[in-house]
Amino acid sequence: MRVLIIGGGVGGLAAALALRRRQLPVAVYDAAGPASEPPARVGPGLWLPPGAMQLFERWGLAGAVQGAGTVLERAVVQTAGGEELWSVNLATGASFEAPSVALSRGALTSLLAGRLPAHVLNREATCEGFSETEEQVTARLAEGTEVGGEVLVGADGADSGVRRRLFPSAAPRETGRVSHWGVAPAPTDDPSEQDRVLRDLWGKSARFVLLPVERDRVFWCAAQRASRAPRPRPNPDDAKASLADDYAEFPGPTGALIDATPAEAITRVELQDLAPLDQWHRGRVGLLGDAAHAASPALGLGPAQAVADAYALALAFDEHDAPEAVFAEYENRRMNKARRVQRRSRQLGDWGHAKSAWAHRLRDTALRLAPAAALRRTLFS
Ligand SMILES: Cc1cc2nc3c(=O)[nH]c(=O)nc-3n(C[C@H](O)[C@H](O)[C@H](O)COP(=O)(O)OP(=O)(O)OC[C@H]3O[C@@H](n4cnc5c(N)ncnc54)[C@H](O)[C@@H]3O)c2cc1C
């Protein structure tokens, strides 16, 4: 059964690897060019919790993934004033059977692409539509080429064109938050033991996340309520200055990281998510990763969810032959968890950007007292 995968991001590439391990013929079509950076709308840094790393372990890729990024020692949530609200030791053996790894999106997608034979991954191949008969599905690529297979998987991200054609009413919705992000050299005054820490700083209506994606480089992400975030400005230097002002109350590395990032390399995005869908497939066509269940990036679990989808889809192909049955099995394995992540990401986003002082205090107290096991289950499984 030949599988066409539209989209060669984390989800599409992981699915191609997982399906090829089950001897299924696969072809991936990605709109981006060979040397291009990941899509500008998604952040260039990501983390893989133990659950995702266990899947890479099964695929024989855990060592390479760890080598391409930073094995995290701790995750910490702090107030903007520096008070620690919550912290977890991420060392393998402490509570987890696998490490958590932070890395750049480009490093992960290059690594995954490098494990596929060259003929499998087709770049600069934008899918513009598809049609289905009883026996097969045909994808129409830009410039008029057509490619055929028995199954088509839309792994084309949060703004999926495959999803638009399957379920036209399922459009992304605004979260009311804006995010700026960039990558900067790690601040030199950072104590070395903090180099492997995922740090999440919560202020009044604003968050700042630091992720050490390489040995000496930090991905940072500043999320604010849209009503309080700097307006888009034609001059990047003005936008950067305004962002730095907004984060002036945040501790040490925050200002240094914004300062060290070239103004034109700071990306501003209005964050969206997708309301949970009742179905991720119709006929021979199904959705995977953000195309199926884009969540607000508040929990940072999107890449791990896409990897879990890839694994579940491959298992479903083991158990069934008919495309409808494969997709039904895959949804059965994945839909509840993905919906939970969508819901919690949205809640955490709202919570992290609470408006009033009493809501901040309530939020900080709740986090201080939150049962560690529940937080671990949400974030790290
Ligand atoms: C605004 C935003 C910001 C985010 N920021 C972060 C972050 O900072 N850190 C983090 O961990 N996660 C972040 N996420 C979530 C994370 O990016 C995703 O959950 C994760 O990348 C899912 O992978 P995916 O493969 O499903 O989609 P994507 O990584 O989006 O990959 C989709 C792929 O499809 C291709 N494509 C799109 N349209 C077509 C087409 N018509 N034909 C062919 N190919 C096509 C694209 O080129 C791309 O390679 C963010 C998501 C959004 C929407």
Side-chain angles (χ1 to χ4, degrees), residues 108-159:
L108 181 59
T109 50
S110 300
L111 190 155
L112 299 178
R115 303 296 163 122
L116 292 170
H119 71 270
V120 168
L121 179 54
N122 302 275
R123 303 274 195 193
E124 295 178 332
T126 302
C127 176
E128 294 190 331
F130 57 84
S131 56
E132 232 180 302
T133 64
E134 275 191 16
E135 286 81 36
Q136 77 156 27
V137 52
T138 303
R140 198 173 60 257
L141 305 179
E143 295 163 16
T145 322
E146 291 194 334
V147 288
E150 278 72 50
V151 169
L152 184 145
V153 176
D156 49 347
D159 195 29

Side-chain angles (χ1 to χ4, degrees), residues 47-349:
W47 74 291
L48 297 167
M53 288 305 297
Q54 279 174 319
L55 299 182
F56 282 117
E57 181 83 57
R58 284 173 194 251
W59 296 332
L61 290 174
V65 172
Q66 288 182 43
T70 304
V71 176
L72 295 169
E73 285 171 359
R74 242 166 28 106
V76 180
V77 180
Q78 283 173 278
T79 62
E83 185 202 346
E84 193 167 300
L85 296 173
W86 185 77
S87 145
V88 62
N89 178 355
L90 296 175
T92 316
S95 312
F96 303 106
E97 287 168 18
S100 294
V101 176
L103 77 172
S104 82
R105 188 180 296 273
L108 181 59
T109 50
S110 300
L111 190 155
L112 299 178
R115 303 296 163 122
L116 292 170
H119 71 270
V120 168
L121 179 54
N122 302 275
R123 303 274 195 193
E124 295 178 332
T126 302
C127 176
E128 294 190 331
F130 57 84
S131 56
E132 232 180 302
T133 64
E134 275 191 16
E135 286 81 36
Q136 77 156 27
V137 52
T138 303
R140 198 173 60 257
L141 305 179
E143 295 163 16
T145 322
E146 291 194 334
V147 288
E150 278 72 50
V151 169
L152 184 145
V153 176
D156 49 347
D159 195 29
S160 166
V162 175
R163 186 187 62 234
R164 261 198 312 278
R165 286 174 190 97
L166 275 190
F167 307 117
S169 60
R173 55 188 183 176
E174 299 300 328
T175 62
R177 287 185 294 285
V178 165
S179 192
H180 289 80
W181 61 64
V183 180
T188 47
D189 58 351
D190 229 14
S192 60
E193 73 268 18
Q194 291 187 358
D195 285 348
R196 293 170 178 273
V197 177
L198 187 171
R199 204 170 289 280
D200 190 351
L201 306 169
W202 290 27
K204 294 181 197 131
S205 310
R207 280 173 73 190
F208 196 89
V209 176
L210 296 84
L211 197 58
V213 286
E214 289 167 36
R215 197 170 162 62
D216 52 1
R217 292 177 63 78
V218 175
F219 165 68
W220 59 264
C221 175
Q224 295 165 279
R225 295 187 81 82
S227 53
R228 306 193 49 161
R231 304 277 123 217
R233 304 202 187 195
N235 181 339
D237 289 317
D238 291 347
K240 174 171 158 172
S242 168
L243 186 68
D245 271 358
D246 284 357
Y247 280 86
E249 61 155 338
F250 278 61
T254 306
L257 287 168
I258 296 174
D259 198 40
T261 309
E264 49 296 337
I266 297 177
T267 303
R268 177 192 199 277
V269 167
E270 309 212 349
L271 297 174
Q272 296 183 322
D273 70 359
L274 195 64
L277 303 180
D278 294 331
Q279 220 179 345
W280 293 346
H281 79 283
R282 209 184 56 209
R284 295 176 174 273
V285 180
L287 302 171
L288 181 142
D290 272 18
H293 47 71
S296 125
L299 284 171
L301 289 176
Q305 290 294 295
V307 171
D309 285 354
Y311 181 72
L313 183 65
L315 287 183
F317 269 105
D318 267 354
E319 292 177 19
H320 301 275
D321 293 323
E324 283 268 10
V326 169
F327 283 129
E329 172 71 32
Y330 154 69
E331 286 180 6
N332 198 26
R333 288 175 177 272
R334 286 288 305 137
M335 206 176 239
N336 284 345
K337 172 78 194 257
R339 282 166 161 259
R340 209 160 45 239
V341 169
Q342 281 176 295
R343 215 172 38 245
R344 294 207 173 136
S345 298
R346 196 161 177 102
Q347 282 164 353
L348 186 76

